[in-house]
Amino acid sequence: MMIDLEKLAAVPSPTPLRSAEVERGIADSVAYLGSDAAQRSVELDPYWPKWHSPWWHMLLLHELGEARQIPARASKALAARVDRLLHFFPIHPSDAPGADLQRDSACHCALGTMYPVLAACGIDVERALPWVRPWFVRYQMADGGLNCDTTAYLQTGECPSSMVGTVAPLEAMLLGGGGTSEQRAFVARVGGFMIDRALIHGSRTLHNAEERGAAVAWRALTFPRFYFYDVLRGLAVLVRWAEATEQRLPEAAVATVVNALVERWPDGVVRVERQAHAGMTTILPTVDHSPSPGAPASMFPLLDTASRIGEPSEALMRQWSDVRAGLLRLARAGRLVS
């Protein structure tokens, strides 16, 4: 399949309009992040609960291009608290005896999403969290992907990588230059993983067979992404990968997604089609680390407003515009290849 470059170039890039309700939601989240309550929440747990801890407010502000409004005390507190998590991904029970693996350890997609947020807040993440980029390299699987399910690393005879567990680490690793030779090799291999999956295919493995069912939903764009995957997110990072690494991008790996997006959004106005965060449960952190049963995840005003299905999304429109421009640059440079 080929990309119709004329149609792609003809899609307009309208200026996204931000509603007063979104502005109020932004102000609400910024005020919360500057509060003592937010500081207490970070200290208790940097990640939980979904979707109402400072982690999620900061991530959504970043996705809206408003990381500059995140109070410095919030970003500094979060970076310091993340640094107190385990600096490795416990695969075997014996790796971290006595640890609560849901509260004391991060996962690949969590670190991958927060790394760009902290960087956008002006934090030198390499200095504050020097173990994060080597983490991604350490847990890359044979096919170039990663998986936040620890049991995936115990499988023999197959490689059950996950798109959700892979896309955010690639986004993070494309920031701040090439890094070490191992980190450059990581980026090259993840690009190959994304190309092999053509942005739309779930895992072929038995262990991660569930992802093949989940892949049906990837074509419906979601916002906010948080750690979730959809085809526009995958396309955006793969175009960035091709430009940053000066690699050739096979047209066949992206044409299905590109042509579908051109047909669906010919006026450049991209709308939210899916709430990937809906219906989730969460852990409720406890001061004494006592067990917490799953509870319904909670919303906050900005999340509620920015995720309404059928509404235009300024972030998705901006990303789609950037992707089109990147694809056309690759085509002109002869690096979008058949």
Side-chain angles (χ1 to χ4, degrees), residues 17-28 302 305 314:
L17 298 177
R18 179 175 290 177
S19 71
E21 191 174 8
V22 170
E23 292 285 8
R24 288 193 296 270
I26 290 172
D28 177 85
L302 182 58
T305 301
E314 59 174 293

Side-chain angles (χ1 to χ4, degrees), residues 71-107:
R73 71 185 300 226
S75 57
K76 290 178 180 178
L78 187 59
R81 185 62 180 83
V82 168
D83 197 37
R84 286 162 47 195
L85 296 172
L86 295 173
H87 290 192
F88 59 92
F89 189 54
I91 294 173
H92 302 87
S94 59
D95 289 344
D100 182 330
L101 300 188
Q102 287 190 294
R103 305 188 204 187
D104 299 332
S105 176
C107 66

